[in-house]
Amino acid sequence: MKNNKRWFYIAMPVFFLWFFGQIDKLGISVIQTNPQFLSDLGLTGENANGKIGFLTFIFFVAYALSNFFWGFFIDKYGARLTAIIGVLIWSVTMIMGGLSTTYGMFMLTRIVLGIGEGMMIPVCGKFIANWFHKNEIGRAQSSWVSGNYAGPALGAIFISAIIASFTWHATFFLLAAANLLIIIPMIIFLMRNNPEEHPGMSKEEVDYIKTTDISEDKEQKNFTQDFRYWIVWFGMVMASFLFFGISIWLPTYLSQAKSFNVEMMTAITSLSWLFALAFVLGCGYLADKTKRPSLIATILFISCAVMLSIATTSGVAIVSGLALGIAMGTMGGVFHLSNLFIVKYSTKETAGRAAGLMGFTNIFGGFATYVMGWMRDISGGSFTSSIVLLIVFASLGFIAYLFTLKTEANQVRQLKKESHVA
């Protein structure tokens, strides 16, 4: 660990930041299958699915819009202070969520939760840009993005167990306690904005990290002028719609459309998040190894379309459930690659803003949850039309990334030539 303390001081805390943050954010997908929760908040009867989907939609509106604010705030005041403020905000809203007695009150807590959690993507993008060597970006990103999926994987089991043992309210209180007692101390005692500010860092390690000051692209433009950034942005729109549309409705799909019991629903939901984690780890390794992240993203989008097609055509319930889970997992890989592109196409000074703009795409994920709920209401509870819509979005993502492959292939060939000359 002598010259690898950056993995302890930065990678570990941001892993847990996302681990608990994602449970707070996406645990609603399991909670909304609980009859008592639906009854307490009046989420029954006509148009109930649309109202359920709207809870996640309004969260992501606040989440996406706040990314703009947080991006500038981070670049001016630093990632560490921003992280502390964000976690405090969402801890309070989790407590208020557990105390909610009406749909309107609960919806308000989801809006404020979205504002608090909106800092997560730009904060982590800033930390990674400041603390890691350019050749470690893929692995560094996967170390915290892993928490993005490990959290909900274990969270599905945790939430189901807490609801079964106590009530749905208890899940919110326990998650708030985890934020205050685990995440806040980690940020305060382990993290700093820059490696040279940390008393535990050696000069050798700081010097190694600082070689990232030399851009890999000697003629790097402002990220907003790079067409590749906007293709990634469009890909994130598609991926957000797909990922959150599937993840929020997956437990309901399994329990209502496929008639799985609570135990089987929880198991497949948890496994689906583990699929996403596996894609994150695999894509992080392959991106660093092959230098072809755009090609990998292209393959992931077409694989998602294939899995969705299997899910909607298979007559075997377990096959449909697992196919939908794998489809969700492929988009986890796309998210990871997109965060890698954020760092690649921006500078240390603009990483927060680049990530904030990319984070705005999450609003389309929230839109997906509402649209899918609305489509269920008008189709008598069927998921078929919603899944067909997801196939269309996966195909659009595939087409968009095709336009990046030639440039990427040329860059790889040039790097090989330079390495042979050297």
Side-chain angles (χ1 to χ4, degrees):
M1 281 293 295
K2 181 180 178 181
N3 290 318
N4 288 283
K5 291 183 179 179
R6 60 196 178 281
W7 298 97
F8 175 73
Y9 292 139
I10 297 299
M12 185 182 71
V14 294
F15 170 85
F16 284 104
L17 176 73
W18 279 84
F19 183 91
F20 288 106
Q22 287 298 90
I23 299 177
D24 294 348
K25 178 196 302 182
L26 299 173
I28 189 67
S29 66
V30 176
I31 295 172
Q32 70 188 29
T33 65
N34 178 249
Q36 189 60 51
F37 170 78
L38 298 175
S39 176
D40 288 348
L41 297 187
L43 295 171
T44 57
E46 188 178 359
N47 299 323
N49 291 300
K51 291 173 68 177
I52 293 170
F54 189 76
L55 286 173
T56 302
F57 170 66
I58 199 65
F59 165 88
F60 276 112
V61 169
Y63 182 87
L65 293 177
S66 69
N67 267 264
F68 289 111
F69 163 76
W70 288 122
F72 285 97
F73 191 90
I74 290 164
D75 286 336
K76 185 171 183 178
Y77 297 105
R80 184 168 176 255
L81 176 61
T82 306
I84 292 172
I85 294 173
V87 175
L88 288 175
I89 290 174
W90 90 55
S91 298
V92 172
T93 60
M94 291 302 290
I95 295 172
M96 296 306 298
L99 296 173
S100 296
T101 55
T102 65
Y103 177 77
M105 181 179 178
F106 188 79
M107 182 171 63
L108 179 62
T109 69
R110 301 308 287 182
I111 294 172
V112 182
L113 177 64
I115 294 172
E117 291 207 358
M119 60 83 186
M120 292 174 70
I121 292 177
V123 154
C124 293
K126 191 74 167 182
F127 273 126
I128 297 302
N130 286 350
W131 274 80
F132 290 90
H133 188 278
K134 65 182 180 182
N135 291 330
E136 299 174 326
I137 294 299
R139 282 167 287 164
Q141 291 282 17
S142 64
S143 70
W144 65 263
V145 177
S146 295
N148 193 20
Y149 307 107
L154 296 179
I157 300 171
F158 170 79
I159 290 173
S160 295
I162 294 302
I163 292 176
S165 301
F166 302 100
T167 65
W168 64 267
H169 307 81
T171 63
F172 289 89
F173 301 142
L174 291 173
L175 288 170
N179 295 326
L180 294 173
L181 299 178
I182 298 176
I183 304 303
I184 292 292
M186 279 188 170
I187 297 172
I188 292 174
F189 295 111
L190 294 180
M191 307 181 84
R192 297 294 186 274
N193 290 322
N194 298 291
E196 61 270 24
E197 298 171 1
H198 204 296
M201 293 290 288
S202 67
K203 183 179 183 303
E204 292 81 6
E205 186 170 2
V206 172
D207 289 343
Y208 173 73
I209 293 168
K210 286 303 177 181
T211 60
T212 56
D213 287 342
I214 301 174
S215 175
E216 185 176 0
D217 183 353
K218 295 182 177 58
E219 297 180 354
Q220 189 173 23
K221 311 173 198 174
N222 184 305
F223 70 90
T224 59
Q225 298 174 329
D226 192 328
F227 82 96
R228 297 170 300 175
Y229 177 87
W230 293 109
I231 288 179
V232 174
W233 192 90
F234 178 80
M236 273 287 281
V237 171
M238 302 298 104
S240 295
F241 196 97
L242 288 158
F243 184 84
F244 293 112
I246 297 172
S247 63
I248 293 298
W249 284 107
L250 179 61
T252 303
Y253 171 84
L254 296 171
S255 60
Q256 295 184 11
K258 298 302 177 182
S259 302
F260 287 118
N261 57 30
V262 173
E263 290 77 15
M264 184 61 74
M265 177 272 289
T266 301
I268 295 179
T269 299
S270 181
L271 184 60
S272 299
W273 286 100
L274 292 177
F275 287 151
L277 176 57
F279 276 104
V280 166
L281 296 176
C283 289
Y285 172 79
L286 290 174
D288 286 342
K289 187 78 173 176
T290 66
K291 309 299 182 187
R292 297 296 307 269
S294 293
L295 175 60
I296 297 170
T298 306
I299 294 171
L300 290 173
F301 270 115
I302 197 63
S303 298
C304 180
V306 171
M307 288 298 106
L308 289 169
S309 298
I310 293 173
T312 196
T313 57
S314 175
V316 181
I318 190 70
V319 171
S320 294
L322 290 175
L324 203 58
I326 294 172
M328 186 182 101
T330 62
M331 292 301 99
V334 172
F335 277 156
H336 172 56
L337 294 173
S338 298
N339 285 301
L340 185 155
F341 287 129
I342 291 171
V343 177
K344 181 177 180 180
Y345 299 147
S346 64
T347 64
K348 290 180 181 296
E349 292 73 27
T350 62
R353 276 165 280 175
L357 184 58
M358 192 70 71
F360 178 75
T361 60
N362 281 280
I363 198 170
F364 295 94
F367 187 61
T369 64
Y370 175 71
V371 169
M372 290 180 69
W374 173 76
M375 293 179 76
R376 282 199 72 203
D377 284 331
I378 65 174
S379 59
S382 173
F383 277 95
T384 301
S385 58
S386 297
I387 295 177
V388 170
L389 179 63
L390 295 179
I391 294 172
V392 173
F393 275 72
S395 301
L396 291 174
F398 167 74
I399 293 170
Y401 266 95
L402 288 177
F403 291 97
T404 68
L405 298 185
K406 183 177 179 180
T407 300
E408 184 178 77
N410 290 336
Q411 290 176 337
V412 171
R413 281 194 293 269
Q414 185 61 33
L415 286 172
K416 287 180 179 180
K417 288 180 181 178
E418 292 175 358
S419 64
H420 287 153
V421 171

